[in-house]
Amino acid sequence: MESNEFKIFRSRLGRTQKEMAQLLGVSIKAIHSYEQGWRKIPGHVERHVYFLVSRILQRTGEKKKCWDLLNCPEEHMTRCPAYEFQSGDMCWFINGTRCEGKTHDSWDKKMETCRNCDVFVALFDEMHGG
């Protein structure tokens, strides 16, 4: 997550920097550093922000499942935690998912795939006004 995206999401969540710091369990100095681009946004903070934003975006409408949207083969789907926990609308949030038939070693590697995935893009483009 880049600093400009963090600022957009904080704004869309309607939070001040202080409120965002409290919500994420970090210092206000950390929030300043993220927004100025002085400090890389850690994976756990990025994940938390995406989670909060997703809950706002998915309050209305049908929750589409990633395995349906991506036409996952059954052998991938049945071994995927998103399918196991019936969380196909939050596949990007769950570690160990079988995206593209493989799991990822870290949150950063997983997010490289997710940022280019139709499921993730469709959800979070809405926040950018897309």
Side-chain angles (χ1 to χ4, degrees), residues 65-86 88 96-102:
K65 306 298 183 202
C66 59
W67 52 83
D68 292 333
L69 293 170
L70 301 175
N71 296 314
C72 282
E74 190 166 339
E75 64 270 10
H76 293 174
M77 195 169 60
T78 57
R79 294 181 16 217
C80 182
Y83 183 77
E84 177 184 355
F85 296 110
Q86 292 298 293
T97 54
R98 305 281 307 165
C99 304
E100 300 176 345
K102 62 182 180 195

Side-chain angles (χ1 to χ4, degrees), residues 1-8 10 17 28-41:
M1 176 179 287
E2 299 295 326
S3 62
N4 60 334
E5 186 176 29
F6 185 90
K7 285 188 249 185
I8 290 169
R10 179 177 63 79
Q17 288 182 334
I28 192 163
K29 203 172 221 178
I31 299 297
H32 293 155
S33 294
Y34 302 154
E35 291 193 359
Q36 293 299 316
W38 298 331
R39 189 190 302 178
K40 182 181 184 309
I41 300 165

Side-chain angles (χ1 to χ4, degrees), residues 50-67:
Y50 281 132
F51 173 78
L52 294 170
V53 168
S54 76
R55 298 302 81 194
I56 288 172
L57 294 175
Q58 294 183 345
R59 285 185 184 156
T60 60
E62 180 185 343
K63 294 181 179 177
K64 296 181 172 99
K65 306 298 183 202
C66 59
W67 52 83

